[in-house]
Amino acid sequence: MVARNAFYAQSGGVTAVINASACGVLETARLFPDRIGTVYAGRNGIVGALTEDLIDTGQESAEAIAALRHTPSGAFGSCRYKLKGLEENRAQYERLIEVFRAHDIGYFFYNGGGDSADTCLKVSQLSEKMGYPLQAIHIPKTVDNDLPITDCCPGFGSVAKYIAVSVREASFDVRSMAATSTCIFVLEVMGRHAGWIAAAGGLASDERHALPLVILFPEQVFDPERFLRAVDEKVRTTGYCSIVVSEGIKGADGRFIAESGSRDVFGHAQLGGVAPVIAGLVKERLGYKYHWAVADYLQRAARHVASRTDVEQAYAVGKAGVEMALKGHNAVMPAIIRTSDSPYRWEIGAAPLAEVANVEKKMPLEFISADGFGITEDCRRYLQPLIEGEDYPPYAGGLPDYVTLRNVAVPKKTATSFSV
Amino acid sequence: MVARNAFYAQSGGVTAVINASACGVLETARLFPDRIGTVYAGRNGIVGALTEDLIDTGQESAEAIAALRHTPSGAFGSCRYKLKGLEENRAQYERLIEVFRAHDIGYFFYNGGGDSADTCLKVSQLSEKMGYPLQAIHIPKTVDNDLPITDCCPGFGSVAKYIAVSVREASFDVRSMAATSTCIFVLEVMGRHAGWIAAAGGLASDERHALPLVILFPEQVFDPERFLRAVDEKVRTTGYCSIVVSEGIKGADGRFIAESGSRDVFGHAQLGGVAPVIAGLVKERLGYKYHWAVADYLQRAARHVASRTDVEQAYAVGKAGVEMALKGHNAVMPAIIRTSDSPYRWEIGAAPLAEVANVEKKMPLEFISADGFGITEDCRRYLQPLIEGEDYPPYAGGLPDYVTLRNVAVPKKTATSFSV
């Protein structure tokens, strides 16, 4: 059997552990030189394939590849670029096959969320129709935790851990200050469509560290009066309150609360920034002094406090993707299968991409407590194992020693150019 | 010699390591039971002394006291409550002495910043005038890093490390996304009067991890045109730019930029939130897609990524405070004396409170690069040792296992009550 080359690309918003998946792909591929020649990475994701801007990962040392496991972000560059439907833009898909053919690529590893699962499936289908032999494997990644079949999505566990840790720490802080000063802390978290990340804030409070939390989920219509009553009750009974708010909460009119709050210096409605709106509302109506924070990229880039479980799963899906390809699988995604809550146990299964593409997993409504402002025991049982364990990066000079790859370009072979 | 009791209080904004100073005070005091009876802590800082709401730290186990070393926030509660001048409100100071006398307190350890150094000095002076024997020791603490004499202030090093780590991680993130999406990341940091914390963001970039940073210091008048040129130049040469902005930057009119930007839902100028103003300006004028974050309390509570140097210094000033008291010192502050930059070496000296109170240390202007948007090598040489080393807290269930003390109240002994 002649070795064929592989293509790997990172897609969509990056995470603290997407490079751990890349590490899993690359280290595993290197174990099978008789089957897999060189792994080419797309510079800036799939755009690199369309423009034939490929990176020769064979030029990276084993040490550099190993360091990807502890380096956040997308080492080859990612992109927000959704391929259109096959019917609308068949040329894009045919261009992919053209580039793959030129570089004898027999394996396509696409590391991303729901959109990239769909693209991966379409590439698989088109290559079959065109008679070009290709095994297309989707490697799951998304902090949104919204891929189906897999129990969780690599990238989410580390965001969840960051948010839970941050809420615990900031709550201890505001508790210290509440008697004479700030008694309200508001943290805005990601999750425009689903409350998975907001729910993770609920883990900050447990039996040994009881904290008065109010969580605002995008699954619930924001009701200012009920919210203010919940906050006031926490402050009156415990002296303070920490509020975790999803960026995606909406009012009864269906509009994002983040948009309703403020206008920027140019008079435009300011996108993002629901935290100051919520804090201002509490101040105006209840008179409490507040502080607010917006975690934004810090939450998904925080490799320094990544979940060991998440890192291990991210590596495992990368490794499994290569193994599945070598076993002849096509149009599948390695999925995390939970076999036990406590002790937490998981294994990797294969999910057919036809069942993954265009299916969005919602957070179960029974994960939200009856009052709408907290998480249930079911939710805790699901979330807690995902933040379990620490996996610190090496430090040098007081800072995490993350790797920046050489990212050497592969000479172009096609005569055509392609604009994206 | 008969043992006398001690009083310890936390003052002002809390930090990731103020409890490490408490740990140093309490563990050291417990070594000298023949000299120091019980250490009483003020519940919610000095307010607890005025209202005779004292906490009996003798009721806490050795394990609980030891856990203070890795627990952020103020374990006994802090307060924002500045005692007025002696002439204006002698009654407050006399009340303190009354409570101290009732509980046979011979040692006063006050853990805070500039204001509390001043209070500590006044308490010392009044006790002397009133013939009440008291040794008043100020234990330095402030993320603002603005106390004189001491080379740095416990609490600052951990904020500096958090900001440097966060800027590095978020910069890696935006670098990954910049080709097709976000190429500007803005992080707002604390430091209303001085740029120490903003400067720490500059540590994120070094020889092995070169990152295009633009730092906005409160020491510089904000000039939108020069700023936009600097950002645009970074984006044009490297593809992206990370901006670190101090909450305290002001325009040529002397007004905070944070106030100029937006109005809240009630039409009030919105305090805080300079990051969205800066991000909006970049978008409006340069057209670049942005993300922004506001770290707020997260930066000063982040014990999970504390600087080991900072933790050790925080503990050391607490320990030294007790040792100085036992040696008969009065109206002093343990100060950190740097004896070598590289390798970094430090020792503890004694600073007279008369030279500490009401003196604010500014960041040297030569720490800011000639273009006004970066840090100099002098600055790096000063800052880098302060973030050196990691000191992880223990984790349980995926979260830092911080201690919450029992905080048992001491029965009141004075017949009078006092309102604050």
Side-chain angles (χ1 to χ4, degrees), chain B residues 164-415:
Chain B
V165 170
S166 297
V167 170
R168 177 168 292 181
E169 291 180 333
S171 297
F172 269 59
D173 191 309
V174 68
R175 181 174 71 183
S176 309
M177 306 305 298
T180 58
S181 181
T182 305
C183 65
I184 299 291
F185 177 73
V186 183
L187 176 63
E188 174 175 334
V189 305
M190 287 179 162
R192 193 146 277 246
H193 305 296
W196 290 110
I197 296 175
L203 295 175
S205 179
D206 60 23
E207 279 179 24
R208 293 197 46 234
H209 308 81
L211 303 169
L213 304 182
V214 168
I215 304 174
L216 296 173
F217 296 95
E219 284 82 359
Q220 310 266 341
V221 172
F222 178 64
D223 177 340
E225 301 307 322
R226 286 192 60 248
F227 162 70
L228 289 164
R229 279 199 298 277
V231 170
D232 202 27
E233 191 267 338
K234 300 283 187 194
V235 176
R236 280 186 286 105
T237 53
T238 66
Y240 70 108
C241 181
S242 287
I243 300 161
V244 182
V245 55
S246 163
E247 60 180 342
I249 64 164
K250 292 176 179 174
D253 60 0
R255 290 180 57 214
F256 286 117
I257 301 297
E259 286 172 2
S260 71
S262 57
R263 303 204 158 260
D264 69 15
V265 67
F266 316 104
H268 305 145
Q270 196 166 298
L271 294 177
V274 67
V277 178
I278 293 298
L281 179 66
V282 171
K283 172 73 180 169
E284 179 76 12
R285 293 285 304 280
L286 302 176
Y288 296 137
K289 191 174 175 202
Y290 62 81
H291 266 251
W292 57 267
V294 177
D296 193 67
Y297 274 3
L298 303 191
Q299 70 201 284
R300 73 182 202 191
R303 182 62 183 82
H304 74 272
V305 68
S307 152
R308 194 181 67 227
T309 301
D310 192 32
V311 174
E312 287 172 354
Q313 291 179 340
Y315 186 90
V317 293
K319 176 171 180 276
V322 173
E323 290 168 347
M324 287 177 187
L326 292 177
K327 282 183 195 152
H329 286 288
N330 189 9
V332 295
M333 175 185 88
I336 296 153
I337 314 293
R338 183 186 298 224
T339 58
S340 163
D341 280 330
S342 180
Y344 178 56
R345 291 206 186 90
W346 55 276
E347 57 191 36
I348 300 288
L353 279 189
E355 295 174 26
V356 174
N358 301 315
V359 180
E360 192 181 323
K361 182 170 73 178
K362 302 273 187 194
M363 189 170 79
L365 282 179
E366 60 266 30
F367 277 14
I368 300 176
S369 61
D371 69 0
F373 300 123
I375 61 172
T376 60
E377 279 309 306
D378 276 359
C379 183
R380 191 176 290 275
R381 196 156 40 240
Y382 169 77
L383 287 176
Q384 195 281 323
L386 308 185
I387 70 165
E388 189 74 56
E390 293 68 55
D391 187 80
Y392 300 116
Y395 277 67
L399 285 165
D401 195 14
Y402 296 139
V403 70
T404 295
L405 299 180
R406 298 173 58 213
N407 284 351
V408 177
V410 178
K412 295 194 188 220
K413 293 190 174 182
T414 71

Side-chain angles (χ1 to χ4, degrees), chain A residues 255 258-271 277, chain B residues 260-265 268 270 276-277:
Chain A
R255 289 180 59 213
E259 287 174 2
S260 71
S262 57
R263 303 203 158 261
D264 68 15
V265 66
F266 316 103
H268 305 145
Q270 196 166 298
L271 294 177
V277 178
Chain B
S260 71
S262 57
R263 303 204 158 260
D264 69 15
V265 67
H268 305 145
Q270 196 166 298
V277 178

